[in-house]
Amino acid sequence: MKLTKKLSDLFAKRSARRGWNAFIIFFFALFVLLPTIYVLSYIVTDWGVISTDVLSDTNSVDLSWSEYTEADFLEYEVHKSTVSNFNLTETTLAFEIDNNKTTHTVLMGLSPSTIYYFKIGVNTSSRIIHSNEVNTTGYYETPPPSFEIILYEPIVTKTESLIYHCLWISFEIAAIVTIIDFIAGLPMAWMLVRKEFRGKRFFDTFLDMPLAVPTAALGFSTALFWAVTPGILSPPGSLNLLSSPMLLIIVLHIVFSYPYMVRSLAAILQEIDINYEIAGETCGASRLTAARTITLPLFRAGLVTGIILCFARSLSETGGTMVALATLGSMEKTGPVLIGTWKHVAKYNPNLVPALAFTSIVLILLALVLLVMVKIIVTKVKLPLKKVWPRPEKFLSKGLPPKLGNLFTFIFLLFIVLIPSFFIFSYVATAEPATEIGWGGFWSSLYYSFLVATIITVIDLALGIPMAILIVRGKSKKLGHVLDTLINVPLIVPTAALGFSLGLFWSTQFSFLSSPLLLIIFAHVAFTYPLVVRNVAGALEETDVVYEETARTLGAKPIQVFRKVMLPMIRPSILAGAIMAFTRSLGETGATLAVSPEAITAPVYIVRLIKDHQAYYQAGLACIILIAVSYCAMLLLRYITKKAR
Amino acid sequence: MVNMRLSNITKKYGKIFAADGFNLDVEDGEYVTILGPTGAGKTTILKIIAGLIDQDSGEVYIGERCVDDLPPENREIALLTQGYSLFPHMNVWENTIFAPTVHGWNEKKIEVIGKEMLNMVRLMDRVDAYPRELSGGMKQRNALARALASNAKVLLLDEPLRALDARLRIDLRYELRRLVKDLGITTIHVTHDQEEALTISDKIVVMRKGKVEQVGNPYEIFERPTNIFVAHFVGEANFVEVVITKKSSDKMEMIDRSGRTIISKPQDFDVGKKVIVGIKTEHTAIEKGEKPGTNTFLGKIQRIMFLGKYVSIEVKLEEGKKLHVKIPTSIGTAFKENMLVTVIFAPDRLFIFDYPEKGLEKELEVE
């Protein structure tokens, strides 16, 4: 009681409030914005390295080998030479790997005109073992079984084109996903807002369910449902249809981006007065014509939000994509997957950092440019919505066609979004139980994930709500606008690039802070912070400032106004923001991998189970536990915010 | 409880003055109305008093203390806003005891004050209701109870009756005045409704474009407007441009553009000066047919508007100018459209004003 009194007295002072606002902006700038785009400074400081290592005509090679499982393991040695049948010496040693699970690496900066030869050595406490030799000529002969360590066939690619290829795939997929989301999402939003039907509330809840499932679990689940999955027993109901990695990623990304599109379209549709449409209909327009020519043009704001959210989400996604690709057995990579894979390797081979930086920079810049372009295109370009075809539109407005449309929407939701999301239950129920790896790792990763998610939710709320207040209620409108725009940046930047940039920022600028846990917390704050700010700012804009003013004149100090008047009025949005931040953190893979390869959160653990160990049953079970636990956490969060009156 | 003074308050939004050297003296326990058209800056003045907006220059005194550096919560005022802004998540009781609660008074005192206020506004039987369950009148009373429970020394009312039905608005007017007068609270009431201002106030401040046009009691404001705007805005008036031709100790003679002679009591203007003659529509008479003489205007009835107790008749003069006459309905029924009539200005009811620099039209603009 005394403390609250002291606090409210303190905040009654203008200077104290000004200081607090300055702190909020400082926090945002230093902990969110700057680290997010820090990697861009590489363009200035290290362009030379990027241009010689990445942009020149050099190759990179992927090496993978069989794992050494004995207890006397010390380290793997990766050796490179330009002569064949070379001996392992100090001069041929490229780098060492002190983790026996890491049996994959990448080397860069190889001249295409030279033939390189590689060998892996294993250092144990008593001896040195060496593997067979491979080279970059493309010739590979299966080694005789006398080798204890087998080096598999190397994959040689041109570094620059590999990067462009992966980025191109990312953008291509994001664009296709966004378009499909829009086409299928519009009728769904329409149904949710403008139609009354039995079970609408359930429908409404179902729509959000994929959001509660971490994407790593979604990736596994969707792949099991759709894909041809070699090496995994297909559960009953599996379609076994897709073998193309592109198509699989597209269906996967639709699953988790579709709800975002429907939600943003529905939100704006709710705001548009139906009377415009009714007025159009009384003037003789058929229902479709009225909707198309009157409501749709008013839609642009919602369209921008929906497109940006879907696009950014698809562009960012790492964990689910990695899992889906691994389940399919494909070597294809998207931009974020490339960053995640390389970052894992870069721990032992620092030569990869320029390539990583370059990939992140391109990803960030393209994402930002696209954000601006989408905004301009959707708001400025005239949509061809003026022309009217009375007859066909009249025909389409009544009777069977709209019913078919609704049916199609429903089927889309069911088969493309819902069933793939939860198909994993069918798998776990039917697959042969097998526990290849102990559960200890999973429980500790789950604990780690929850620790991070809880901490970042608390930080987001504590510092995000004041930021929202500053944006909406701040004295300076200009500052509000600027902050409002900047807040979106971490939302657009793909999380893998964000994670890499952030890791770089903290480890180079404040290296004393760069423990993996701290780094992951910083990274997760950076991309979840905008979610809380967005939600709360939206609610504050809807709330009339007059309530706060009245409370002030009735004698309430600023803190009392906040606690007694503002907080209760915006509680639902705070809850929504908190749930979003919490679940996003819980499901995030890309940023976690890119920040610190050592930190094992639950989704990262699931990715590893599938990618490195092919422990599918266990991964499935882990997914279900993760889904169940995050669902419980959501309920708990709801309960806590309701109770904290 | 306390007197209040605004001294030379100025507030600019871009190029527009919301308050332009605004002065106001309010005596202890006085009920003052700030009357003005929308956009005059009335709400801005209230918010400056409340401390919700900082003025660019000038001072606000409550009692003898300059309160400019005090935040709203320390000014001992209570603001009742247009929509009442009852907190939607609190019921009638919680809304009422909001101020005592945030002040941290002891629970017994809170209980006593809450009950006293709710009894006063007759809402004791609805303590558990939420604002959305209350009628407009109840909301208004609840908001009033909440404002009064704060123990404020000055009550600021921003269009407190605007959101109510016409009938209820009239009833609540008197109740509002009675309540605050009984408690002796100094009150500033902002409205654009002249009838409301005339019936409720001890003192009216007519405001336009951030400036005080006239201050006075309701009778003075209505009967003795000091400028064209006030004459026009408080009750309707007719205006005619004239030139003074003769002046003697008992009368003054003027002539309008069409050569009609108008006579009034002598006033402090020189012969040859161009002035404006005005008269309230209520004091304008009308007769059938042509009546020669001074202060008469021959014209045709263009439109008759039925106002209930009164009819308003619009007469078009030969030169195209329109005059308005407001007469009791019982007499008004005798007139029909297109009838030839004479409009008569009573000489002892005429106002005479300086000819405005920017012309008559500009001066009559309400917004």
Side-chain angles (χ1 to χ4, degrees):
Chain A
M1 197 60 212
K2 255 188 186 163
L3 185 73
T4 52
K5 169 111 180 58
K6 263 187 190 159
L7 263 178
S8 67
D9 283 347
L10 179 67
F11 272 83
K13 292 193 187 117
R14 277 187 195 196
S15 55
R17 289 208 297 278
R18 219 168 276 161
W20 170 245
N21 285 344
F23 167 70
I24 292 296
I25 295 175
F26 170 78
F27 166 82
F28 170 67
L30 183 66
F31 283 81
V32 179
L33 192 61
L34 196 59
T36 302
I37 53 173
Y38 176 74
V39 73
L40 296 184
S41 73
Y42 242 63
I43 301 178
V44 184
T45 56
D46 291 70
W47 186 251
V49 188
I50 288 177
S51 62
T52 52
D53 280 21
V54 186
L55 299 180
S56 59
D57 186 27
T58 60
N59 285 341
S60 61
V61 61
D62 275 51
L63 298 177
S64 44
W65 57 89
S66 58
E67 184 182 333
Y68 180 78
T69 48
E70 304 296 317
D72 60 355
F73 174 84
L74 287 179
E75 61 203 5
Y76 293 120
E77 291 178 348
V78 180
H79 288 269
K80 176 182 88 174
S81 171
T82 47
V83 288
S84 61
N85 286 322
F86 68 101
N87 288 320
L88 307 188
T89 63
E90 278 296 315
T91 48
T92 58
L93 178 66
F95 50 88
E96 291 156 342
I97 296 171
D98 62 2
N99 180 350
N100 73 324
K101 302 275 183 213
T102 306
T103 57
H104 165 248
T105 196
V106 179
L107 287 100
M108 281 186 187
L110 309 178
S111 156
S113 53
T114 317
I115 299 173
Y116 294 90
Y117 302 85
F118 302 98
K119 269 185 185 174
I120 298 294
V122 183
N123 235 338
T124 71
S125 44
S126 54
R127 58 195 179 129
I128 293 180
I129 312 162
H130 63 93
S131 71
N132 56 315
E133 184 178 294
V134 297
N135 61 43
T136 52
T137 57
Y139 176 75
Y140 181 79
E141 195 180 350
T142 313
S146 59
F147 285 98
E148 276 180 70
I149 297 297
I150 293 165
L151 191 49
Y152 304 119
E153 184 177 358
I155 303 163
V156 184
T157 36
K158 202 179 148 206
T159 313
E160 197 185 352
S161 33
L162 176 66
I163 292 174
Y164 293 151
H165 170 75
C166 294
L167 289 177
W168 170 245
I169 287 187
S170 278
F171 279 88
E172 206 181 353
I173 287 173
I176 294 172
V177 165
T178 309
I179 291 167
I180 295 177
D181 278 343
F182 174 67
I183 293 171
L186 190 58
M188 176 59 82
W190 214 281
M191 261 163 86
L192 283 179
V193 176
R194 293 280 155 91
K195 285 231 156 60
E196 286 303 326
F197 52 89
R198 213 182 297 164
K200 185 170 155 178
R201 284 179 56 130
F202 284 108
F203 214 59
D204 215 48
T205 326
F206 273 134
L207 187 64
D208 284 338
M209 283 176 84
L211 295 183
V213 182
T215 49
L218 276 185
F220 190 42
S221 192
T222 310
L224 284 176
F225 180 68
W226 283 105
V228 179
T229 45
I232 312 175
L233 178 78
S234 287
S238 169
L239 296 182
N240 267 323
L241 202 63
L242 300 181
S243 58
S244 145
M246 271 280 282
L247 284 178
L248 181 63
I249 299 175
I250 289 173
V251 243
L252 167 65
H253 286 198
I254 287 173
V255 172
F256 57 73
S257 61
Y258 184 71
Y260 283 102
M261 180 62 93
V262 175
R263 282 285 165 239
S264 19
L265 291 182
I268 199 81
L269 197 57
Q270 202 108 46
E271 298 287 303
I272 299 174
D273 195 343
I274 185 139
N275 284 326
Y276 294 129
E277 228 174 284
I278 292 173
E281 281 176 51
T282 56
C283 293
S286 66
R287 189 165 285 176
L288 181 64
T289 315
R292 194 175 54 82
T293 56
I294 298 168
T295 305
L296 217 51
L298 295 170
F299 227 68
R300 295 183 169 201
L303 209 54
V304 175
T305 321
I307 288 178
I308 289 174
L309 278 178
C310 286
F311 204 92
R313 199 72 180 90
S314 167
L315 205 58
S316 260
E317 215 292 317
T318 320
T321 313
M322 273 182 164
V323 168
L325 289 174
T327 312
L328 193 66
S330 163
M331 294 302 287
E332 194 62 86
K333 290 183 183 69
T334 63
V337 172
L338 187 72
I339 293 178
T341 318
W342 279 358
K343 177 71 190 187
H344 189 56
V345 175
K347 185 187 166 195
Y348 304 105
N349 181 8
N351 288 347
L352 262 60
V353 170
L356 266 169
F358 178 71
T359 316
S360 302
I361 288 169
V362 177
L363 204 49
I364 291 176
L365 285 182
L366 281 179
L368 290 179
V369 167
L370 249 135
L371 164 75
V372 175
M373 267 175 40
V374 166
K375 246 188 163 150
I376 291 175
I377 290 174
V378 178
T379 49
K380 295 273 158 66
V381 173
K382 284 196 176 137
L383 302 170
L385 294 171
K386 290 265 163 67
K387 206 163 172 359
V388 172
W389 300 273
R391 278 212 170 173
E393 291 193 329
K394 199 164 225 166
F395 169 74
L396 288 173
S397 292
K398 269 193 180 162
L400 204 56
K403 276 193 188 129
L404 279 178
N406 292 344
L407 189 68
F408 164 76
T409 312
F410 180 71
I411 288 174
F412 185 90
L413 177 72
L414 196 64
F415 283 90
I416 306 283
V417 180
L418 289 181
I419 293 182
S421 295
F422 297 97
F423 191 69
I424 196 157
F425 287 92
S426 151
Y427 172 72
V428 171
T430 54
E432 194 77 17
T435 309
E436 293 96 334
I437 298 145
W439 280 99
F442 179 67
W443 294 124
S444 67
S445 74
L446 199 62
Y447 166 74
Y448 200 89
S449 273
F450 270 82
L451 183 68
V452 171
T454 310
I455 293 175
I456 65 104
T457 308
V458 171
I459 295 179
D460 283 349
L461 290 179
L463 299 170
I465 297 171
M467 183 53 131
I469 296 173
L470 186 60
I471 288 176
V472 181
R473 296 278 193 261
K475 284 235 159 114
S476 160
K477 291 271 169 287
K478 224 177 246 166
L479 179 68
H481 272 300
V482 171
L483 288 175
D484 197 29
T485 314
L486 290 180
I487 280 287
N488 286 331
V489 171
L491 217 53
I492 307 300
V493 169
T495 50
L498 181 150
F500 178 72
S501 176
L502 191 127
L504 207 63
F505 175 77
W506 290 107
S507 57
T508 54
Q509 301 299 315
F510 303 90
S511 53
F512 58 96
L513 281 175
S514 50
S515 88
L517 180 62
L518 265 185
L519 279 185
I520 290 204
I521 287 172
F522 288 158
H524 284 218
V525 164
F527 66 80
T528 55
Y529 185 71
L531 295 173
V532 172
V533 176
R534 272 270 75 87
N535 270 294
V536 178
L540 272 180
E541 262 157 32
E542 298 291 307
T543 317
D544 200 331
V545 70
V546 87
Y547 292 110
E548 292 144 48
E549 292 183 344
T550 307
R552 281 299 287 283
T553 66
L554 288 170
K557 298 196 175 76
I559 283 220
Q560 288 174 316
V561 174
F562 173 71
R563 256 187 39 227
K564 293 193 173 269
V565 178
M566 195 192 273
L567 206 56
M569 293 173 87
I570 57 172
R571 179 177 283 127
S573 303
I574 294 179
L575 175 68
I579 286 181
M580 270 190 185
F582 191 88
T583 50
R584 271 287 292 212
S585 163
L586 211 57
E588 178 60 31
T589 319
T592 315
L593 283 177
V595 156
S596 161
E598 285 129 281
I600 310 292
T601 60
V604 171
Y605 189 80
I606 290 172
V607 173
R608 292 267 165 86
L609 278 181
I610 293 170
K611 252 189 98 164
D612 300 349
H613 306 287
Q614 285 81 40
Y616 296 113
Y617 176 77
Q618 208 174 347
L621 211 54
C623 285
I624 288 178
I625 294 171
L626 189 55
I627 293 172
V629 176
S630 58
Y631 206 78
C632 290
M634 266 166 67
L635 291 180
L636 189 70
L637 206 59
R638 215 175 273 259
Y639 179 73
I640 290 171
T641 38
K642 242 185 204 155
K643 233 185 153 192
R645 284 211 150 192
Chain B
M1 284 200 184
V2 71
N3 62 336
M4 233 196 70
R5 184 156 64 86
L6 300 188
S7 162
N8 217 3
I9 300 286
T10 299
K11 174 77 189 172
K12 249 177 133 176
Y13 290 112
K15 281 187 178 168
I16 295 166
F17 281 96
D20 186 1
F22 191 91
N23 289 301
L24 175 65
D25 271 296
V26 183
E27 279 164 36
D28 185 358
E30 202 173 17
Y31 197 114
V32 173
T33 308
I34 300 180
L35 173 66
T38 42
K42 299 174 305 237
T43 302
T44 304
I45 293 290
L46 271 199
K47 287 192 167 180
I48 287 174
I49 299 173
L52 297 168
I53 297 177
D54 291 333
Q55 66 270 33
D56 298 338
S57 64
E59 294 95 41
V60 179
Y61 294 89
I62 296 178
E64 290 313 313
R65 188 177 184 329
C66 175
V67 295
D68 292 340
D69 53 351
L70 289 183
E73 62 268 24
N74 294 345
R75 292 194 178 191
E76 297 185 288
I77 40 102
L79 172 69
L80 193 70
T81 57
Q82 283 189 23
Y84 316 131
S85 48
L86 288 169
F87 304 127
H89 55 287
M90 298 183 191
N91 60 26
V92 168
W93 176 253
E94 289 163 336
N95 262 299
T96 309
I97 61 163
F98 179 83
T101 312
V102 296
H103 282 134
W105 294 345
N106 76 49
E107 284 185 24
K108 250 190 187 159
K109 192 174 168 192
I110 292 177
E111 182 94 15
V112 170
I113 288 190
K115 281 189 178 156
E116 190 186 326
M117 291 303 148
L118 285 178
N119 275 324
M120 196 170 70
V121 299
R122 307 188 317 276
L123 273 177
M124 212 41 216
D125 51 336
R126 299 300 306 270
V127 284
D128 293 328
Y130 282 87
R132 60 177 179 278
E133 300 158 3
L134 298 177
S135 69
M138 288 176 181
K139 279 187 204 164
Q140 200 261 0
R141 276 157 28 208
N142 190 189
L144 191 64
R146 182 180 65 178
L148 295 175
S150 72
N151 215 3
K153 297 208 167 99
V154 177
L155 186 61
L156 305 173
L157 307 169
D158 190 358
E159 305 259 13
L161 303 168
R162 187 179 204 169
L164 303 174
D165 301 335
R167 180 70 226 173
L168 196 60
R169 195 153 59 208
I170 292 167
D171 289 348
L172 282 180
R173 250 183 224 166
Y174 302 111
E175 196 177 321
L176 186 62
R177 180 179 159 89
R178 186 182 54 76
L179 273 175
V180 296
K181 283 306 255 189
D182 284 354
L183 292 168
I185 298 178
T186 310
T187 306
I188 298 183
H189 175 137
V190 152
T191 183
H192 67 288
D193 182 338
Q194 38 144 326
E195 203 182 302
E196 189 174 304
L198 290 172
T199 49
I200 205 169
S201 325
D202 294 328
K203 183 153 95 190
I204 295 177
V205 179
V206 183
M207 181 176 185
R208 181 172 69 145
K209 294 182 179 165
K211 281 188 173 139
V212 175
E213 293 282 339
Q214 188 176 353
V215 181
N217 66 38
Y219 181 81
E220 287 168 339
I221 296 286
F222 190 81
E223 293 291 335
R224 293 201 292 279
T226 54
N227 61 48
I228 296 173
F229 176 76
V230 175
H232 176 64
F233 187 68
V234 184
E236 260 183 299
N238 292 303
F239 296 98
V240 181
E241 293 174 26
V242 294
V243 175
I244 302 172
T245 50
K246 250 186 231 167
K247 199 171 154 183
S248 65
S249 61
D250 61 338
K251 65 177 186 177
M252 188 160 80
E253 236 180 82
M254 294 156 284
I255 189 162
D256 81 347
R257 283 189 181 175
S258 307
R260 300 183 190 97
T261 306
I262 296 161
I263 292 172
S264 80
K265 288 179 180 170
Q267 291 195 29
D268 198 12
F269 290 97
D270 293 334
V271 173
K273 198 171 161 47
K274 195 173 172 189
V275 291
I276 300 280
V277 160
I279 188 165
K280 293 264 149 135
T281 52
E282 286 89 344
H283 298 149
T284 313
I286 186 167
E287 284 187 28
K288 285 185 198 167
E290 187 174 355
K291 304 279 165 182
T294 56
N295 294 17
T296 58
F297 300 83
L298 184 65
K300 232 184 205 176
I301 295 183
Q302 184 129 30
R303 209 152 53 130
I304 299 178
M305 266 180 295
F306 179 59
L307 302 173
K309 257 188 198 165
Y310 293 94
V311 288
S312 168
I313 302 176
E314 187 179 293
V315 178
K316 193 174 179 186
L317 307 183
E318 263 172 52
E319 70 265 32
K321 188 176 171 59
K322 285 171 190 161
L323 294 178
H324 294 89
V325 183
K326 200 169 165 190
I327 51 172
T329 305
S330 52
I331 311 170
T333 46
F335 295 92
K336 298 276 173 300
E337 281 181 16
N338 287 324
M339 204 177 253
L340 197 69
V341 290
T342 303
V343 176
I344 305 162
F345 286 7
D348 53 344
R349 294 287 198 176
L350 290 178
F351 316 126
I352 299 175
F353 305 112
D354 276 317
Y355 189 82
E357 277 171 36
K358 290 172 185 163
L360 183 59
E361 288 302 313
K362 189 80 190 167
E363 201 57 26
L364 294 181
E365 271 177 17
V366 166
E367 280 180 39

